[in-house]
Amino acid sequence: MKIAFHPKLLDCLPGYNRAQFAKDLASGITVGVLALPLAMAFAIASGCSPAAGIWTAIIAGFITAALGGSRVQIGGPTGAFIPIVYGIVALHGYANLMGATILAGIFLLAMGLARMGQLIRFIPVSVVIGFTNGIAVVIFLAQIKDFFGLKIDNLPAEFFHRIKALAANAHSVDLPTLGLASACFIFLISYNRLAQHVALLRRAPGPLAVLIVGTLVSFLFDLPVETIGSRFHGIPQELPALGFPDLSIHDFGKLISPAITIALLGAIESLLSARVADGLIDDRHDPNQELVAQGLSNIAAPFFGGFAATGAIARTSTNVKTGGRTPIAGIIHALVLLGIVLIAAPLASYVPLATLSAIVMVVAVNMGEWHEFMELRRYTNNYRVILLATFLVTVIFDLTIAVELGMVLACLFFIYRMSELTRIERRPLREEADDPHLLYPDGTMRVAAWQMFGSLFFGAVNKLEVLLDPAAGHPEVVILDMTQLIQLDTTGLEGLESLLDKLKKRGCTLLVCGMNSQPGSLLQRSGFIDQLGDNNVCADLSAALKRAYILLPDLMGGNEENY
């Protein structure tokens, strides 16, 4: 198998000019500034340090842009990872999170090299909407602690324990924290409307504006609220120490399941983001190259103290809207973040956690496709069951279980639907009225023809039983018209072999006619045609009836020409 490694950056460099660089520069600076508050907020919400979020954005952002399969993809930590990363940190610790991230990166890299990028498109939209809305709810619930300033040392990762802990500590609401968080939330929700009337606001991304305003209010009024400095002792103004996470070989066994979850969500979100970007710039991304880049990003980030990353839809859209059209913009975004860390890191100590909590809550509200719940009545019960089951299991249990359940339900409903579309119907013959020799004395047929429709597969093979039903009589010749049979699997083949054997025991001859290419190929390769006999394979129903007259000599004197 030929492995292709061709980043989009290589396609963009020929013909690259100063005018495009100016656009990419402006876009990269804008997205880099936007990524700063989001990286810190997502990291804190995930149970990690804000520095871990920033370095994840820097490393993943650079690799995604330089080696990815999309012209405009921006990589980094995202809100969708919050419940997954928080759960891993709570259960296994931060060192094991980095180990799970590296393992997930290896999985993603293997998927890309194996050219499995297109397989992600097989996930039904009902499953995607279900877990996306579920993740949004989990993110929102996880921010209640910092939004209300509740006195909870460690918020449990498990849903019911988390609800119990929030309810038990509801009395510990901190009013200054709640006031600041509420003001930031309302300001950010209404930011786009305000920007239409205030020219200054149009020049700054909403999360950055809220971060600056919230920090200034907290500092100038000396609000007694928790900040990055009070909880995390600020952000180091230096490059992180490069090193491998402190793990033993025994740790990797328990990290396989979390790593699969990270890889699965990372693949889905990055390819969805790239597909959205394609629509915005009229381009086509390479899904396999994108998975390779995401794999390398997740392998590299933990060596710098980072964690799970993927393509970020909001930052990618911002990149496109501000003029970015090549991976250079994504590289500049990473360098801007690096410059902010090395120059302005001490200022981050004053950022209140309530402001970051409000930013994450707004992200959760915006990422959910809530209108889909209102439109469920327009769709089938199967669609509703899949979406709601995936949503509820994501919220209550785990994303991996939710996606697995959603896919299983989707497959079962698809099998049921396909089996319903598969039909085997009795085909009336005009000869029944013209030739009394075709009938037994009791009026049942000596020659019976059946038409097959759809796909004869494991979910519909039981449809063959109608041919052996005593009510169908005991014909001496059974004709199977396969002109409308488009697909046959090995279980369907086994069903036909069983049918042939039972008909032979009854002294009945089976004829088939009108085979399409796929069923015909399988019947030939399996040896079924040899068992049946070449003479009993006919081009169409008319030819099959001629063969039946030969097999039953008393019909019209056994002369085929008399038919």
Side-chain angles (χ1 to χ4, degrees):
M1 180 181 64
K2 183 180 179 181
I3 296 176
F5 183 81
H6 190 82
K8 276 287 184 177
L9 179 62
L10 299 179
D11 294 333
C12 298
L13 291 179
Y16 193 72
N17 53 47
R18 186 176 298 178
Q20 186 56 56
F21 176 73
K23 295 178 181 179
D24 288 339
L25 178 64
S27 179
I29 293 173
T30 302
V31 178
V33 171
L34 168 64
L36 177 66
L38 294 178
M40 292 192 296
F42 292 153
I44 293 172
S46 301
C48 305
S49 69
I54 294 176
W55 283 106
T56 301
I58 293 172
I59 302 302
F62 183 88
I63 294 176
T64 297
L67 302 178
S70 169
R71 290 175 177 266
V72 293
Q73 182 86 285
I74 302 295
T78 66
F81 274 131
I82 290 175
I84 299 170
V85 173
Y86 187 90
I88 296 173
V89 172
L91 294 175
H92 304 293
Y94 189 72
N96 283 320
L97 167 64
M98 291 191 286
T101 302
I102 292 174
L103 199 55
I106 294 173
F107 292 155
L108 284 166
L109 180 61
M111 290 168 63
L113 295 177
R115 309 190 68 79
M116 297 174 61
Q118 297 293 345
L119 296 181
I120 302 299
R121 297 181 182 230
F122 292 164
I123 298 178
V125 65
S126 53
V127 175
V128 174
I129 293 172
F131 77 67
T132 300
N133 286 4
I135 288 172
V137 171
V138 173
I139 293 172
F140 194 90
L141 290 175
Q143 292 309 298
I144 291 177
K145 169 182 174 292
D146 286 337
F147 194 92
F148 287 85
L150 302 180
K151 303 299 186 289
I152 304 175
D153 293 331
N154 293 300
L155 190 64
E158 198 273 329
F159 175 77
F160 293 107
H161 291 164
R162 173 176 292 180
I163 296 298
K164 183 177 180 180
L166 291 173
N169 292 275
H171 64 280
S172 63
V173 173
D174 183 70
L175 293 181
T177 299
L178 176 60
L180 178 61
S182 299
C184 290
F185 182 86
I186 295 171
F187 179 57
L188 190 53
I189 283 288
S190 56
Y191 187 82
N192 289 334
R193 291 183 181 178
L194 292 173
Q196 295 176 2
H197 305 286
V198 182
L200 182 62
L201 295 182
R202 298 190 206 119
R203 301 179 182 179
L208 178 65
V210 170
L211 179 73
I212 294 173
V213 172
T215 302
L216 287 175
V217 169
S218 173
F219 178 76
L220 294 176
F221 292 93
D222 194 22
L223 296 179
V225 296
E226 200 170 12
T227 64
I228 288 179
S230 63
R231 182 183 291 185
F232 300 101
H233 309 294
I235 295 175
Q237 192 177 9
E238 59 186 7
L239 297 175
L242 183 64
F244 191 81
D246 185 18
L247 296 169
S248 69
I249 192 65
H250 303 290
D251 292 325
F252 280 93
K254 63 185 179 183
L255 298 179
I256 291 178
S257 180
I260 291 174
T261 304
I262 293 173
L264 178 64
L265 182 58
I268 293 172
E269 188 167 8
S270 65
L271 295 183
L272 282 177
S273 175
R275 194 159 67 180
V276 170
D278 285 349
L280 296 175
I281 63 173
D282 192 22
D283 191 34
R284 185 174 183 180
H285 72 281
D286 181 345
N288 300 308
Q289 184 64 39
E290 187 62 28
L291 290 181
V292 168
Q294 296 304 329
L296 294 174
S297 297
N298 283 279
I299 292 172
F303 288 92
F304 295 84
F307 55 94
T310 185
I313 296 177
R315 274 158 279 172
T316 298
S317 298
T318 302
N319 181 32
V320 173
K321 292 175 183 177
T322 51
R325 288 297 181 274
T326 76
I328 299 298
I331 294 174
I332 292 172
H333 133 270
L335 296 178
V336 168
L337 280 171
L338 177 61
I340 292 174
V341 171
L342 298 180
I343 296 172
L347 297 177
S349 296
Y350 300 101
V351 175
L353 299 184
T355 298
L356 295 177
S357 177
I359 292 173
V360 175
M361 274 196 168
V362 173
V363 169
V365 171
N366 290 336
M367 76 180 290
E369 299 185 50
W370 312 114
H371 63 279
E372 292 291 340
F373 288 131
M374 303 300 296
E375 296 179 0
L376 281 178
R377 63 182 182 275
R378 296 170 46 197
Y379 298 102
T380 64
N381 287 331
N382 293 353
Y383 181 92
R384 297 172 194 162
V385 169
I386 294 171
L387 192 153
L388 293 175
T390 305
F391 169 77
L392 292 173
V393 174
T394 299
V395 172
I396 298 174
F397 297 106
D398 178 74
L399 172 66
T400 305
I401 298 174
V403 173
E404 290 172 352
L405 176 63
M407 290 299 294
V408 168
L409 288 174
C411 290
L412 289 176
F413 288 139
F414 176 76
I415 292 170
Y416 175 77
R417 177 61 177 158
M418 289 300 297
S419 67
E420 288 293 298
L421 294 175
T422 300
R423 307 191 318 275
I424 301 179
E425 299 177 352
R426 183 70 175 268
R427 180 163 180 174
L429 301 173
R430 59 181 176 80
E431 288 77 8
E432 294 180 22
D434 298 337
D435 189 354
H437 293 90
L438 284 173
L439 301 175
Y440 286 115
D442 62 2
T444 58
M445 289 294 299
R446 296 179 67 188
V447 177
W450 298 83
Q451 177 94 50
M452 305 179 72
F453 299 86
S455 172
L456 188 62
F457 70 114
F458 62 89
V461 70
N462 62 307
K463 301 289 180 77
L464 289 172
E465 295 174 0
V466 69
L467 278 74
L468 300 171
D469 190 338
H474 297 280
E476 298 174 59
V477 177
V478 169
I479 301 172
L480 275 182
D481 186 350
M482 294 185 172
T483 53
Q484 300 298 320
L485 185 70
I486 60 174
Q487 192 270 340
L488 175 71
D489 74 353
T490 52
T491 305
L493 170 65
E494 185 180 9
L496 288 175
E497 291 173 337
S498 176
L499 174 68
L500 175 62
D501 183 60
K502 292 177 180 178
L503 290 177
K504 282 183 178 179
K505 291 179 180 179
R506 292 184 178 184
C508 179
T509 302
L510 177 65
L511 307 179
V512 297
C513 66
M515 289 187 299
N516 290 306
S517 58
Q518 189 278 331
S521 174
L522 181 56
L523 292 177
Q524 185 69 51
R525 288 183 285 110
S526 66
F528 180 83
I529 299 298
D530 295 333
Q531 299 177 48
L532 192 65
D534 290 336
N535 292 333
N536 293 332
V537 179
C538 307
D540 52 33
L541 183 60
S542 177
L545 283 170
K546 290 180 180 181
R547 176 61 181 165
Y549 272 79
I550 294 174
L551 292 171
L552 302 177
D554 58 315
L555 295 182
M556 287 189 162
N559 188 349
E560 181 179 348
E561 295 180 356
N562 291 335
Y563 170 66

